[in-house]
Structures are given as C-alpha cells and as structure tokens.
Amino acid sequence: MITTDFVPGSPCWLDLGAPDVGAAADFYGGVLGWEYESMGESEEMEGGMFRKDGKIVAGLGKLTEKGARSAWMIYYSVTDADATTRAVEQAGGTVRVAPMDLDEWGRMAQYSDPLGGQFAVWQPGTNKGVDLVDEPGSLSWTELYTSDAAAAKEFYGAVFGWQFSDMELPGGGGTYALITPAGLPEERMHGGLMQLSEADLALANGRPYWHPVFAVDDCDAAVARVTASGGNVQMGPDDAEGVGRLAVCLDPSNADFVVLAPVAG
C-alpha cells in the first residue's frame, strides 16, 4: 500500500505532461472526479494541481519536450537528489533533468533507466508530496512495463534499494515482481514490474514505461467514464485474484494509466 509518510524509495508525487492542459483537466475531472487548480498560464509555462475532495492528488503541466509522448511521470522520495543522481549514473541510467530546487518546496531530478524507462525523484523541503493516496480517485500503485525484468531489478535495486518478490500470474501470464521500499515489510509494497516484449511496448516505441494505478470504487463505471470522455481501454476490465477489478486505459492524448477497484479487505 502507498502511504503519505513517503519513506525513501516510495512514490510521493506524479504529474502529467499533456499537449492540451484544459482538455486533460476536463478528462480527469470527468473520470476521477478531480478538480483542477491552475497555477498560471503563459507561453513559457502552463499547469497546476489536481485535487480530490480538496486534497492534492497530482500535478498537470504543458508537454513541452519536442518529440515526447504525453505520459504520467512518477516521482520517488529520496533524502538526497544529488546522491541519487550519482547512483543512477553509476548503475547505467541517464540524467534527463539534473537536480534542481523548486523554491523551498523541495529538490527534483528526472532520469531514464538503462533501457529508457523514465522516472523522477523528489527530495522534500516544505512539500513532501501528494496529500491523498490509496483512496478512490488517488494513486494506489505504480507499475513498470519493461523488456528486461532482471535488468530493471538490478538498476532500481541499486538506485533505491528496493526489495523484490516474484509471483506467477494465473493462466501462464508470466511473472510479476512486487516492489517494497528498503527495509520495510511486504505490506508496504507500493508497485510492481512486469516483463513484456518490445512489441507489447509500442506505446513508448519499445522502451519501458511507468504508469500510475488509480483506485476507484467501481472499475466498470470508471471505464465507461473513460470512453465517454474520449479515452480508450487497452485491456479489461478484468478480475485479478486477490487484487481487484482493473483496466488499462489511455486518455485522449494516449497517456496510459490503470483504474483499479480493489478487493475489500
């Protein structure tokens, strides 16, 4: 489960780079009940925050990187962004955005893993991360699709100290690796990674990619809202034993995310 104590190596923030900020705000408002709060609009920058029941759940910004696809960026909490940057480089990753201060809020950096999967880190200042997690309409899990699970485990294990435990998916669906922050018990696991062929990673031109899983009360109803709002469904809704009912979705700009109605427990 994801919690808001944001121990090192746990997901603490996420934001969406969208070609049309207004359209993205409308879509996620319709699908997840989010309210968008603009932080200002200019030619150089456009974006703001998503709130659910008044609590910040994610960020939204204008996609400005040339040739980049619209996608969610997941940030993991660290105590020292500069030390993490050195660890990323030593493990074979690439620095996309060098560590930089965002006023007194904190310090951030963005990277690519050795196969091209993009992720980010946040060294908290006055802002530790999102206000709401693991509740309907908020982040409840993070997931990496990669063409080399063993290489991903080696890299992220070196960078974050993550612990991995493998489980076999039913019906010969392959192996799914569960991720837990360093030194914590498995009930604090916050994500997973799964190996797919490069052909199955077409959304990112064969490169690995992370995506968020959002909790919902009713998966089928959420999927209906996705399609009614101009999005698409890549997979599902399907029941996952012991997990819940889920669907892999795309927003109108093809940014991917998952909606999950977890099993009661």
Side-chain angles (χ1 to χ4, degrees):
M1 63 182 295
I2 296 176
T3 65
T4 53
D5 61 357
F6 303 133
V7 297
S10 66
C12 63
W13 181 258
L14 68 162
D15 53 38
L16 173 67
D20 186 328
V21 168
D26 289 342
F27 174 81
Y28 288 96
V31 172
L32 295 171
W34 288 352
E35 298 171 348
Y36 176 61
E37 178 183 312
S38 175
M39 302 289 284
E41 297 181 15
S42 67
E43 288 187 9
E44 292 79 24
M45 192 189 86
E46 181 184 359
M49 306 292 181
F50 283 120
R51 292 182 182 270
K52 175 73 172 177
D53 300 328
K55 297 180 178 180
I56 294 174
V57 290
L60 172 62
K62 180 82 170 177
L63 183 66
T64 56
E65 185 177 345
K66 189 174 181 180
R69 77 177 184 97
S70 182
W72 284 96
M73 180 69 71
I74 299 172
Y75 293 71
Y76 294 93
S77 187
V78 295
T79 56
D80 186 334
D82 296 272
T84 302
T85 297
R86 292 191 291 272
V88 165
E89 293 176 320
Q90 289 168 2
T94 303
V95 179
R96 299 182 64 249
V97 178
M100 59 183 289
D101 290 323
L102 297 179
D103 296 325
E104 73 281 1
W105 299 335
R107 190 164 172 81
M108 61 83 70
Q110 295 185 359
Y111 315 107
S112 294
D113 68 26
L115 293 175
Q118 297 181 0
F119 67 105
V121 298
W122 180 252
Q123 177 186 328
T126 58
N127 189 318
K128 291 182 169 27
V130 294
D131 297 329
L132 184 70
V133 295
D134 212 35
E135 297 287 344
S138 69
L139 182 69
S140 65
W141 193 253
T142 64
E143 196 165 60
L144 174 67
Y145 289 166
T146 180
S147 56
D148 191 334
K153 288 179 184 178
E154 184 176 353
F155 172 78
Y156 290 101
V159 171
F160 293 122
W162 284 347
Q163 306 165 118
F164 300 96
S165 55
D166 290 345
M167 60 176 284
E168 294 303 315
L169 296 175
T175 302
Y176 191 87
L178 300 162
I179 302 169
T180 305
L184 291 186
E186 286 194 353
E187 55 260 31
R188 287 296 305 272
M189 64 180 61
H190 63 251
L193 66 87
M194 184 175 179
Q195 182 166 311
L196 299 172
S197 70
E198 287 192 13
D200 290 327
L201 300 173
L203 196 62
N205 297 317
R207 296 191 304 273
Y209 56 91
W210 286 94
H211 58 212
V213 178
F214 298 119
V216 294
D217 287 317
D218 185 322
C219 180
D220 295 76
V223 165
R225 294 193 296 271
V226 166
T227 55
S229 301
N232 291 290
V233 179
Q234 279 194 308
M235 184 192 78
D238 291 319
D239 292 314
E241 185 178 353
V243 176
R245 188 162 175 80
L246 59 87
V248 182
C249 304
L250 298 174
D251 71 17
S253 296
N254 285 337
D256 56 301
F257 63 98
V258 174
V259 291
L260 166 68
V263 294

